[in-house]
Amino acid sequence: MSTTDDLRRIFKACVVNPVAIDRANSYDPGYLVVKGDKIEQLSRDDPRQAMPSAKFIDFGKKTIVPGFVDTHVHFPQFGIMGVGAGELLTWLKTYTYPEETRFADPEYAAMVGRRFFDALVVNGTTTAAIYSSVHEKATDIAFSLARTKGIRAFIGKVMMDRNSPPALLEGTDESIAASLRLFERWDGADNGRLRYVFTPRFAGSCSMELMMQVGKIAQDRNAFVQSHLSENSGEVGWIRQLFPNLPSYTAVYDSAGMLNEQSIMAHCIHLSADEIAGLSSRGVSVAFCPYSNRMLHSGTMPYRRLRSAGLNISLGSDVAGSPSLAMLDQMREAMTAAEISWSEALYLATLGGAKALGLSDRIGNFEAGKDADFVVVDDDVVREVYVRGVRVL
Ligand SMILES: [Zn+2]
């Protein structure tokens, strides 16, 4: 005879549950009860007597944390991770654009994509906001691979209609049309676990006309938008030349209608007080990428100022700006760059990311009813990964 206990598993470990930016609850030991694909409860008391036929898994001294959320990563740069040096604009021209050009070939895109999605899971990332290349087919491939892996993914083809190498340059209408086709095919697919995210690469590679169309389309369709903002001081100076009539880099995106609660802006390093206030009033989320910022000598994001302004902050690996997909590495970098505790860095890598993606009611911590996405960590190494209760590593 089967009972509901057959669907239940009790995982015992040191469980860390982020509940707010300044608070994570530790259970040592804790008992995480998973029923089917959802979290049923987390307690300090041993629930085995009340659930006699539940399967019991003891992780001893290992730690369980929620599945990681990477809110800024470039899948076509996975093959050049750890390659290259220099600052942003030179790095893009020398290493990144030539590599992304290769994604016109679907076989190459599939080969790198398989390794990329495998590596996400190996590193405990169960949800990610991903930049594809400009190519529609490569973006389809990325969605298919995310679906196969079962992870939640927000993916967008990058849009580039000016100041880009000829092999990557798109016409404005062509870029919009391809993005809309991808949105229609993928947004909400796999029971809502896949979302399309409009991805104008950055103001340097996009015309105002393109960005204004993106702003309107995304608002009309309640869609997500992701881009880069104020990463490097050379870049900021160039954007000011490109848009001389606008007061700031942030104002470029704002006048295009791209800034709202469904916008994720990566980096946000060299911002004025007015820009920070503007981002905050629009409810924009900031993807903090400290490892990438260090590697590309971009500067240090003013974490305290952004946090005090009430901005939602999450973490991004920004591969290949950083040489690691591991969110544990990004957490370590965040602790140094922002002078925060491990538990605050964990919040940024989990619940902060869930909030950025509008998913804090489904993932990000161990509240009852959320997806059973979690990672077993030992000695700062990911040992096992579960996605909706299914062990995937
Ligand atoms: Zn990036």
Side-chain angles (χ1 to χ4, degrees):
M1 198 183 84
S2 89
T3 69
T4 50
D5 276 4
D6 294 340
L7 302 167
R8 280 204 179 100
R9 281 159 297 161
I10 301 167
F11 297 91
K12 182 187 175 200
C14 170
V15 184
V16 185
N17 189 32
V19 290
I21 193 159
D22 54 1
R23 204 172 90 233
N25 295 331
S26 274
Y27 301 71
D28 190 12
Y31 298 85
L32 183 68
V33 182
V34 172
K35 187 173 169 190
D37 58 356
K38 303 278 189 230
I39 304 294
E40 189 172 32
Q41 68 176 59
L42 171 60
S43 65
R44 290 193 175 85
D45 298 326
D46 188 340
R48 275 179 286 178
Q49 263 198 329
M51 304 171 176
S53 47
K55 194 173 172 205
F56 179 69
I57 298 112
D58 189 350
F59 286 120
K61 286 279 146 205
K62 297 188 178 85
T63 301
I64 289 179
V65 297
F68 296 123
V69 182
D70 185 345
T71 53
H72 186 83
V73 60
H74 297 259
F75 120 77
Q77 296 175 18
F78 184 64
I80 55 163
M81 200 167 62
V83 175
E87 293 197 11
L88 175 69
L89 299 177
T90 312
W91 179 76
L92 284 173
K93 277 195 198 102
T94 314
Y95 302 100
T96 310
Y97 290 161
E99 176 66 10
E100 291 194 16
T101 301
R102 303 177 72 184
F103 285 71
D105 172 6
E107 276 182 36
Y108 187 73
M111 186 270 288
V112 176
R114 278 191 294 273
R115 291 170 46 217
F116 171 79
F117 283 97
D118 285 351
L120 279 183
V121 169
V122 164
N123 285 293
T125 299
T126 52
T127 300
I130 299 165
Y131 287 56
S132 180
S133 61
V134 290
H135 309 101
E136 186 174 354
K137 186 76 200 151
T139 310
D140 278 325
I141 288 165
F143 272 112
S144 298
L145 290 166
R147 184 172 55 192
T148 304
K149 277 278 162 194
I151 69 167
R152 287 183 181 272
F154 289 57
I155 306 175
K157 75 165 226 74
V158 289
M159 307 173 86
M160 304 168 73
D161 74 338
R162 69 166 171 169
N163 302 321
S164 303
L168 295 175
L169 187 68
E170 313 171 282
T172 307
D173 293 345
E174 175 200 350
S175 183
I176 296 282
S179 300
L180 278 171
R181 285 192 296 270
L182 286 160
F183 175 85
E184 295 298 334
R185 276 202 290 281
W186 293 106
D187 191 57
D190 198 21
N191 289 318
R193 286 188 286 271
L194 299 179
R195 297 294 309 267
Y196 190 73
V197 49
F198 288 87
T199 310
R201 184 173 202 127
F202 75 125
S205 67
C206 297
S207 66
M208 182 50 90
E209 190 200 332
L210 178 109
M211 292 188 284
M212 288 181 80
Q213 286 201 49
V214 167
K216 172 139 193 11
I217 288 167
Q219 276 173 33
D220 288 350
R221 287 163 180 75
N222 201 26
F224 278 82
V225 175
Q226 60 183 354
S227 194
H228 299 85
L229 171 61
S230 205
E231 177 172 1
N232 168 287
S233 49
E235 171 213 13
V236 174
W238 183 46
I239 301 302
R240 298 204 79 138
Q241 285 172 19
L242 289 173
F243 300 92
N245 299 324
L246 289 167
S248 68
Y249 197 159
T250 301
V252 172
Y253 293 146
D254 197 34
S255 62
M258 278 169 45
L259 300 181
N260 57 46
E261 296 84 6
Q262 306 217 96
S263 315
I264 303 164
M265 290 290 145
H267 306 305
C268 299
I269 295 173
H270 310 279
L271 297 177
S272 67
D274 278 355
E275 289 180 277
I276 293 173
L279 291 170
S280 176
S281 72
R282 297 286 189 224
V284 170
S285 276
V286 174
F288 176 30
C289 306
Y291 202 170
S292 165
N293 297 155
R294 181 163 71 82
M295 298 306 287
L296 295 178
H297 310 288
S298 301
T300 304
M301 192 189 84
Y303 180 84
R304 288 282 151 205
R305 288 173 63 209
L306 298 189
R307 195 191 136 168
S308 308
L311 281 156
N312 181 63
I313 305 172
S314 56
L315 269 185
S317 66
D318 194 25
V319 157
S322 93
S324 168
L325 270 184
M327 295 308 284
L328 287 168
D329 288 343
Q330 318 309 324
M331 285 169 55
R332 253 191 311 276
E333 293 282 334
M335 288 167 67
T336 311
E339 297 179 355
I340 55 174
S341 64
W342 185 84
S343 60
E344 184 159 338
L346 178 67
Y347 170 89
L348 302 180
T350 55
L351 195 54
K355 282 195 174 147
L357 299 171
L359 290 171
S360 57
D361 58 337
R362 289 165 186 256
I363 58 165
N365 69 7
F366 297 129
E367 227 175 87
K370 287 192 178 182
D371 283 359
D373 291 357
F374 60 95
V375 179
V376 183
V377 178
D378 184 29
D379 287 335
D380 229 13
V381 174
V382 170
R383 301 290 182 192
E384 294 189 17
V385 179
Y386 291 75
V387 175
R388 292 186 300 285
V390 175
R391 186 174 171 193
V392 293
L393 177 77

